[in-house]
Amino acid sequence: MAKKKAVLSIDGEIQINYKWSVGKAGDRFFTELRDHKKIMGTKCRQCGRILVPPRIFCEECFVEDMEWVEVEPRGSLLTFGESYFSTDGKRLKEPWMLGIVRLKGSNGGLIHFIRESRPEDLKIGMPVEAVFKSKPEGNIMDILYFRPANN
Amino acid sequence: MNDRVCVVGIGVVEAKDPMVDVSHKEMLFYATRHALDDAGLERKDIGSAITTSFDFLEGRSLSNQFTLDSIGGVMKPCDLRLGEDGIYSLFAGYMEVMSDPSQVVVVASVQKASERDPDGLSYQKLIADSMEPVFSRPVCKSVPNLLGLEPVLAAMEARAFMDRTGLSEEDLAEVAVKNLNMDKGTKGSGPDKKTVLKSDMLSWPIRTMTKAKEADAACAIILASENRAKDLQNEPVFVSGIGWCSDKSHLAFREQGVSRETKWAARQAYKMAGIRRPDREIDLAEVSDWYAHRELLHCEALGLCGSDEIKGCVADKSFQKEGRLPVNVSGGLLGRGNAVGTSGLIRVAQIVRQIRGQANGFQVPGVGVGLAHSWGGIPTATAGVAVLSKW
Ligand SMILES: [Zn+2]
């Protein structure tokens, strides 16, 4: 089939900035993370699930009946993926990895970097632990990454 | 019973190469015009018109208001716009017909992917911006190269699925080979398993050939009640069941490597259509194969095979054109290209073609009941299911 002739085109873009509230639950979570390097979850008094990231309501029971609990900075790796893409388009020797970590005793998960390991060392379900930033600022990057942990 | 909802016209405009000679509004017009011609109707006959679109995919705020004149919707009950895949317009259109069975309803969707991506990063930016903004987005935005983001997220769900079911990379390659070879004109001349397994690895097990490429497409479908359809030229195709569902909004809260939303959407559609054994009662299915693993994950969730049968279904070619339950004989998204946000409605059009016996090169004989499925793509857990039938 003959190539179709392109009609003229013009350039376009949309660029808008935002400032999002982290919510009541996020405020408490990030304050504890910044000031005490603690990971906090909210426990639903009705179903008993501990939510991390926390919410002020349980999306299953649909009530605002939660109490704050501290969660250990370790848990299990639900899944992970690796990429050898670098910014300059060259293949990296050591890949960067993302994973989903479910902290011990909690329900939910954190998407975060997995480091100090290679993809072939990782297994679904293995224990991992958080590594914190030395000077936390009150956002999710105060956790630098997760790494394999001893059971 | 004559209040059932039918498809009375379809129009599809699609191409693997960028559609450089038309705008997205023109594509949508052509699709709608084809659908009206197919049904033997004119704009004056349209009772209401519905589109679906994603503003950021199109780069237009209020993108629906921009397209209503392309679907014949000026000064009609229109602008009922849904920010979901096109299959959702079928659901809304269904309800429109039920609320006033005398009217003819146009439902449509368009996606011109080729207009979006001059720097190759736009889609990845949209994926990052679709993540939950407080706990997940800052992580996704700080990956060393955004180009790797979608493949890594896809790999995470594929890995969990494969870990649970025992599927191998070779199994995923089989799916890709099937769909890449089903496309009209390239049957048997498409890539083989070796070629697929040698294609560039994006993030294990996602390769360039096990991930659908983006494509330009528009699709319009015309709905009417059974009573109204009697006066029209086409044999109607019945929409016998519809269902849709979304799982938890935060990706990390969901069970990985399953599609609960598909399962529940199907449950709703099957109940409505009176289907008890989908694996036996459905003749043919078009499901989202955005990535090769997704085809199998969705077949499982739709009940087209048991969880312990998936590997066996790949091995015994159950989902091939000549198999027990042909899946994506049109080539699916892997074979035809993925017009994000429109592909689901195109799956419906493909099923209508099969039931009418108009699927040309990829017709499966004697299709009485067909299923169309759509998934919203990463990081969504949103699915729609439509069961269509000849009787
Ligand atoms: Zn609860």
Side-chain angles (χ1 to χ4, degrees):
Chain A
M1 210 165 65
K3 265 243 171 331
K4 293 204 166 115
K5 185 185 173 297
V7 295
L8 296 173
S9 58
I10 59 158
D11 293 338
E13 63 161 281
I14 294 182
Q15 193 169 9
I16 296 168
N17 298 320
Y18 300 85
K19 199 175 188 74
W20 286 294
S21 159
V22 301
K24 290 182 191 174
D27 188 72
R28 173 88 187 255
F29 180 88
F30 290 117
T31 305
E32 294 279 359
L33 186 61
R34 182 191 61 201
D35 298 347
H36 308 290
K37 292 189 187 174
K38 274 187 187 171
I39 298 181
M40 302 295 289
T42 52
K43 181 175 181 181
C44 172
R45 289 197 184 95
Q46 306 210 356
C47 68
R49 295 185 312 141
I50 296 172
L51 308 184
V52 181
R55 285 192 173 133
I56 59 160
F57 64 95
C58 171
E59 78 281 9
E60 299 275 2
C61 306
F62 214 64
V63 288
E64 189 184 351
D65 188 13
M66 317 291 277
E67 59 181 317
W68 284 93
V69 291
E70 188 184 343
V71 178
E72 281 186 58
R74 65 193 82 248
S76 64
L77 186 62
L78 294 188
T79 187
F80 62 96
E82 78 270 17
S83 177
Y84 289 87
F85 285 108
S86 70
T87 33
D88 58 7
K90 283 188 192 133
R91 196 184 147 87
L92 295 164
K93 273 209 183 96
E94 297 290 322
W96 54 271
M97 297 182 285
L98 289 181
I100 300 179
V101 175
R102 177 162 294 170
L103 296 179
K104 214 168 161 185
S106 79
N107 192 286
L110 294 170
I111 294 183
H112 223 300
F113 289 101
I114 309 294
R115 291 190 191 136
E116 293 188 35
S117 55
R118 292 186 53 86
E120 51 271 28
D121 306 328
L122 300 179
K123 263 190 92 146
I124 286 176
M126 76 185 289
V128 288
E129 63 187 9
V131 175
F132 294 97
K133 197 186 251 180
S134 52
K135 287 184 184 143
E137 294 164 49
N139 60 60
I140 197 65
M141 302 314 286
D142 288 349
I143 299 172
L144 287 172
Y145 55 87
F146 285 85
R147 66 180 175 202
N150 296 322
N151 239 331
Chain B
M1 197 168 88
N2 54 12
D3 60 347
R4 292 189 293 171
V5 178
C6 320
V7 173
V8 297
I10 56 171
V12 180
V13 175
E14 59 178 342
K16 281 185 190 170
D17 296 320
M19 300 184 84
V20 291
D21 58 330
V22 279
S23 71
H24 84 302
K25 283 191 71 159
E26 292 164 344
M27 287 164 64
L28 194 55
F29 163 74
Y30 283 128
T32 309
R33 189 63 256 175
H34 293 335
L36 285 170
D37 291 344
D38 181 36
L41 293 167
E42 286 302 328
R43 189 177 105 80
K44 64 176 170 48
D45 304 311
I46 299 172
S48 61
I50 298 162
T51 53
T52 64
S53 54
F54 296 96
D55 287 3
F56 280 100
L57 286 179
E58 295 195 19
R60 292 172 189 88
S61 180
L62 306 172
S63 50
N64 54 319
Q65 304 210 343
F66 199 69
T67 48
L68 68 92
D69 39 8
S70 292
I71 55 167
V74 173
M75 292 304 285
K76 307 257 185 192
C78 185
D79 228 14
L80 174 59
R81 189 280 297 254
L82 300 155
E84 289 297 349
D85 179 90
I87 204 166
Y88 274 66
S89 68
L90 183 85
F91 307 151
Y94 184 101
M95 293 185 272
E96 284 277 348
V97 173
M98 291 297 277
S99 73
D100 177 4
S102 70
Q103 68 170 333
V104 165
V105 178
V106 175
V107 303
S109 181
V110 62
Q111 172 59 207
K112 203 170 177 205
S114 62
E115 287 188 344
R116 190 190 331 120
D117 221 11
D119 61 358
L121 272 179
S122 303
Y123 193 72
Q124 302 299 325
K125 286 180 187 162
L126 287 174
I127 295 275
D129 288 333
S130 307
M131 301 300 287
E132 181 284 324
V134 177
F135 294 92
S136 301
R137 195 182 303 188
V139 176
C140 292
K141 285 241 167 182
S142 53
V143 298
N145 185 354
L146 211 50
L147 262 184
L149 181 63
E150 182 209 355
V152 165
L153 294 173
M156 292 204 302
E157 57 164 49
R159 188 172 247 127
F161 176 53
M162 293 163 81
D163 190 66
R164 174 171 63 83
T165 56
L167 287 162
S168 68
E169 250 203 286
E170 300 238 325
D171 296 324
L172 304 191
E174 289 281 4
V175 173
V177 169
K178 169 175 76 71
N179 296 0
L180 287 163
N181 277 278
M182 281 314 299
D183 192 18
K184 205 169 123 196
T186 61
K187 188 168 162 57
S189 62
D192 59 9
K193 206 157 102 180
K194 221 166 135 186
T195 315
V196 170
L197 287 170
K198 269 191 183 162
S199 65
D200 284 344
M201 183 69 87
L202 301 172
S203 177
W204 189 93
I206 311 294
R207 294 176 181 272
T208 48
M209 290 178 92
T210 59
K211 170 188 180 315
K213 289 183 176 55
E214 283 201 78
D216 297 345
C219 180
I221 286 181
I222 304 195
L223 300 170
S225 67
E226 187 172 4
N227 228 355
R228 183 79 171 79
K230 277 183 197 149
D231 310 327
L232 301 177
Q233 63 192 27
N234 284 325
E235 278 289 316
V237 170
F238 296 99
V239 184
S240 46
I242 51 174
W244 58 96
C245 185
S246 291
D247 202 346
K248 300 188 181 192
S249 56
H250 193 155
L251 189 150
F253 265 92
R254 300 178 207 141
E255 193 182 338
Q256 300 300 309
V258 299
S259 183
R260 271 207 322 176
E261 59 284 1
T262 295
K263 196 171 178 177
W264 282 84
R267 191 172 289 186
Q268 185 186 336
Y270 294 158
K271 188 178 168 197
M272 202 170 150
I275 288 177
R276 286 167 183 219
R277 284 297 303 263
D279 56 336
R280 291 185 193 163
E281 295 173 60
I282 289 163
D283 299 321
L284 172 129
E286 288 274 326
V287 312
S288 174
D289 56 337
W290 199 304
Y291 313 96
H293 70 271
R294 273 276 165 180
E295 177 172 304
L296 299 172
L297 193 151
H298 292 142
C299 284
E300 176 198 26
L302 291 163
L304 305 184
C305 64
S307 297
D308 51 352
E309 294 167 351
I310 309 172
K311 213 172 159 65
C313 285
V314 176
D316 70 12
K317 303 188 188 303
S318 290
F319 301 140
Q320 303 263 3
K321 191 180 170 205
E322 294 77 19
R324 165 177 77 78
L325 203 173
V327 174
N328 290 334
V329 294
S330 70
L333 305 161
L334 284 164
R336 303 181 83 83
N338 183 7
V340 177
T342 298
S343 293
L345 197 60
I346 295 178
R347 307 271 72 69
V348 175
Q350 294 292 1
I351 295 294
V352 171
R353 281 180 183 155
Q354 287 282 351
I355 290 174
R356 283 180 177 176
Q358 294 174 344
N360 299 327
F362 40 93
Q363 181 69 46
V364 171
V367 176
V369 181
L371 177 144
H373 162 268
S374 159
W375 165 58
I378 286 169
T380 78
T382 292
V385 172
V387 177
L388 296 121
S389 59
K390 200 178 173 90
W391 303 281

